[in-house]
Amino acid sequence: MGLAAWIAVTLPAPLLFFEGTHRWEEHQDVSMALRWTLGALPALAAVVAARWTRHTGQRRSISAFLAAVVVTTLISAVFLGASMAVYRWVIPLQGAAGWWGVLSSGALIAAAGAAIGYMIGLGNVSRRRVSDRHGYLIGGIVAVVGVLLAQATVQLGAEDSTSRYDVIGYGGVGPDATAAGKPGVVTLPAAGRYAILAVGFAPRHPDCRVTGADLADQPAELVTITPGDYGTDAASYAWVASFNVPDSGVYSLTCRSSDEQASYIVWEIPDIRGAVGELIHWPLAAIWLLGAVPGLLIVANTATRQRAKRSACAR
């Protein structure tokens, strides 16, 4: 449960909070996201130190205090390092974080939290262990919440990890680009891969096809989790599909969706840094499974504890 809480506070929480409190065309800075991690670090350290102190017998001595602080600081550093790795290689947000400064500050904050946790561990605080039935319930709830947050986390992470992306367009289809019912004209400058962007609130999963001199009705490949918030104050765009062309030239584009008034334009592929640029193309079931992992671990831990109790009773 502690792992699930840590992941929730340090990953989806800063992305969702920024999305809800800032203008859609603004992107989050990595230093702002890491503040959430540093803010959660003392709580993590206090919990670990309290558990360590209780486990070792609640001894009042300098050596016990130092052991609790050192062990807790090392464990907290691992969690902090994991969060920093996510924001360095998986969701590399914009800006500079000052990684060594974050790590050293985190060590001091963790040590302070560990000292508080040591004092809590010495106290006569009654612990109420979660029952097996409640463990399964909590694990199920955490798994469902993780599934719901996973897709939004990947989407917002991809948006905020995109390099500057000024949408101009090589042409498109829809009321904003061509006459109703007519295919759009797309003039591409070179061979390669191009993106299809939904304009405004256009449906995110259209059936788009590209036709040209050496290209016969090629279907565009849909993006599983569509990053958006591209563009300017005039209009927002979302990357919904992509296609390849063998050469430069003029091509026609048709897109069918549930909205007959929807518009789609063709532009360069967004430059999304880090592993999140690949995650948006993963099957949705795989993303959901990643989000469910903390809850599944709680369920597995509860089942293991239950089997251990049964084995002890059988003896």
Side-chain angles (χ1 to χ4, degrees):
M1 286 186 287
L3 175 63
W6 174 263
I7 293 174
V9 171
T10 60
L11 193 53
L15 296 174
L16 291 170
F17 179 81
F18 188 89
E19 178 71 10
T21 56
H22 291 72
R23 291 166 59 88
W24 64 265
E25 65 268 26
E26 295 183 68
H27 287 174
Q28 182 165 197
D29 190 273
V30 66
S31 61
M32 297 181 64
L34 286 174
R35 289 175 192 170
W36 287 74
T37 303
L38 292 176
L41 206 58
L44 170 69
V47 171
V48 173
R51 290 175 65 91
W52 172 269
T53 303
R54 291 185 185 127
H55 181 71
T56 55
Q58 303 180 3
R59 291 173 291 130
R60 292 179 178 272
S61 65
I62 296 297
S63 60
F65 171 76
L66 291 177
V69 171
V70 170
V71 170
T72 298
T73 302
L74 291 175
I75 294 174
S76 301
V78 172
F79 277 80
L80 175 60
S83 294
M84 292 172 63
V86 169
Y87 285 118
R88 183 71 180 270
W89 291 295
V90 181
I91 304 178
L93 303 178
Q94 297 180 0
W99 302 102
W100 288 111
V102 171
L103 191 58
S104 58
S105 300
L108 294 175
I109 294 172
I116 296 173
Y118 171 77
M119 301 304 296
I120 295 174
L122 291 176
N124 295 320
V125 180
S126 60
R127 290 181 61 196
R128 185 178 178 183
R129 186 176 290 276
V130 177
S131 68
D132 293 336
R133 182 182 62 184
H134 290 159
Y136 287 121
L137 177 62
I138 293 172
I141 293 174
V142 170
V144 172
V145 172
V147 167
L148 296 176
L149 291 178
Q151 185 172 347
T153 300
V154 171
Q155 178 182 346
L156 296 176
E159 293 172 2
D160 290 344
S161 298
T162 304
S163 301
R164 182 178 176 83
Y165 189 70
D166 296 323
V167 180
I168 299 175
Y170 292 133
V173 65
D176 294 339
T178 187
K182 298 289 186 179
V185 177
V186 179
T187 304
L188 303 178
R193 193 166 182 82
Y194 293 89
I196 298 177
L197 306 174
V199 182
F201 297 101
R204 297 299 192 256
H205 293 88
D207 177 16
C208 293
R209 297 177 179 274
V210 181
T211 303
D214 299 321
L215 200 65
D217 199 28
Q218 174 183 293
E221 179 184 348
L222 292 175
V223 178
T224 305
I225 299 177
T226 57
D229 288 356
Y230 300 139
T232 62
D233 287 335
S236 66
Y237 302 86
W239 180 20
V240 297
S242 56
F243 63 92
N244 289 290
V245 294
D247 201 354
S248 61
V250 178
Y251 295 83
S252 64
L253 173 70
T254 58
C255 289
R256 295 190 180 93
S257 69
S258 57
D259 183 2
E260 295 181 355
Q261 299 300 312
S263 294
Y264 300 91
I265 66 169
V266 174
W267 187 228
E268 304 289 345
I269 296 289
D271 181 18
I272 301 177
R273 304 180 306 276
V276 72
E278 295 297 326
L279 290 177
I280 61 173
H281 300 290
W282 281 24
L284 201 54
I287 300 298
W288 290 343
L289 181 60
L290 282 178
V293 165
L296 296 178
L297 289 176
I298 295 175
V299 172
N301 179 66
T302 302
T304 301
R305 191 170 65 240
Q306 192 174 46
R307 283 196 301 269
K309 287 181 180 179
R310 290 174 180 172
S311 299
C313 291
R315 294 173 186 172

